Amino acid sequence: MSELKTLTEKELAFILHWGEMGNRWGVNRTVAQIHALLFIRGECLTAEMICELLGIARSNASNSIKELERLGLVKRTHILNDRKDYFETSGDVWELFRIIARERIEHELKPTEAMLNDLLNDPDFKKESETFQARTKESAELLHSLITLGDQVLVFSSKGLKNILKAGSGVGKFLLGFKGDKK
């Protein structure tokens, strides 16, 4: 393996920002920073290399890497004649989007939809205010629609996802233009 190249100012800015964004999305800052490092470097790195580049403790790196592996965002790999574990992530942003979206659907949207449906199916819920009942029903319907849309969209390849989003942008412009004509 070649000598470890230090982070440039721009790489560090990207990694720090990605860590902050991850933190806002409910992901541990170090987890997000390690993922950002692997993503922008586009090469396999050992845990020791990650620690050196990010200035983090080995235990923090190990726990964060395990979390990234659990999420399917990082995979462990090996290099011939080297006993160390190396870690890499996909360079395909669309694949990463698919993995992250699937994770959020499974662990955030579906449990919330289930809780709302449990409320709606509880006979005692009929005693609640009409506003509460109506808003709960609308929320459950919205989540069901988002989950269904996600399930349908996330089966597409990276190229398919790109095409869908490009088409969606055009549809949005068309609808906004159409809406504007009614004024």
Side-chain angles (χ1 to χ4, degrees):
M1 206 73 207
S2 60
E3 186 176 319
L4 189 61
K5 186 180 89 175
T6 59
L7 294 171
T8 68
E9 189 177 315
K10 300 293 185 202
E11 287 174 325
L12 184 57
F14 181 95
I15 291 166
L16 290 174
H17 180 76
W18 201 251
E20 290 302 317
M21 291 310 300
N23 197 35
R24 291 179 185 151
W25 296 330
V27 175
N28 176 287
R29 180 180 291 119
T30 305
V31 170
Q33 288 176 346
I34 290 172
H35 185 256
L37 172 66
L38 293 170
F39 178 71
I40 64 172
R41 279 290 171 106
E43 61 184 324
C44 301
L45 298 175
T46 65
E48 292 77 16
M49 293 170 165
I50 292 168
C51 290
E52 183 180 333
L53 287 166
L54 296 180
I56 58 175
R58 181 69 166 88
S59 60
N60 194 0
S62 292
N63 290 332
S64 297
I65 290 167
K66 284 177 187 170
E67 177 67 8
L68 287 163
E69 286 180 306
R70 184 192 69 73
L71 293 169
L73 291 169
V74 165
K75 71 177 186 175
R76 190 178 303 250
T77 190
H78 297 95
I79 295 177
L80 189 63
N81 297 322
D82 191 339
R83 295 178 60 192
K84 295 178 184 170
D85 289 331
Y86 286 80
F87 303 94
E88 64 183 345
T89 191
S90 175
D92 181 350
V93 294
W94 298 95
E95 178 61 24
L96 294 173
F97 166 76
R98 186 181 296 103
I99 292 167
I100 292 166
R102 173 64 45 220
E103 181 72 15
R104 297 200 77 123
I105 288 169
E106 292 298 322
H107 293 96
E108 295 171 30
L109 298 185
K110 285 185 178 181
T112 304
E113 179 194 30
M115 182 277 301
L116 293 172
N117 285 329
D118 287 347
L119 271 178
L120 292 168
N121 293 323
D122 184 338
D124 289 336
F125 190 64
K126 302 281 188 235
K127 298 174 188 171
E128 299 294 335
S129 72
E130 287 183 23
T131 301
F132 184 19
Q133 289 181 54
R135 290 181 179 179
T136 300
K137 183 178 185 217
E138 290 170 4
S139 297
E141 289 170 352
L142 171 64
L143 285 173
H144 180 75
S145 295
L146 289 171
I147 291 165
T148 300
L149 178 64
D151 289 343
Q152 292 170 348
V153 169
L154 294 177
V155 299
F156 286 95
S157 67
S158 294
K159 184 178 179 183
L161 283 173
K162 285 181 196 178
N163 289 337
I164 288 170
L165 290 178
K166 283 181 185 176
S169 173
V171 169
K173 288 177 186 173
F174 172 77
L175 291 175
L176 288 173
F178 183 72
K179 181 179 175 187
D181 288 346
K182 290 214 166 210
K183 286 185 180 178

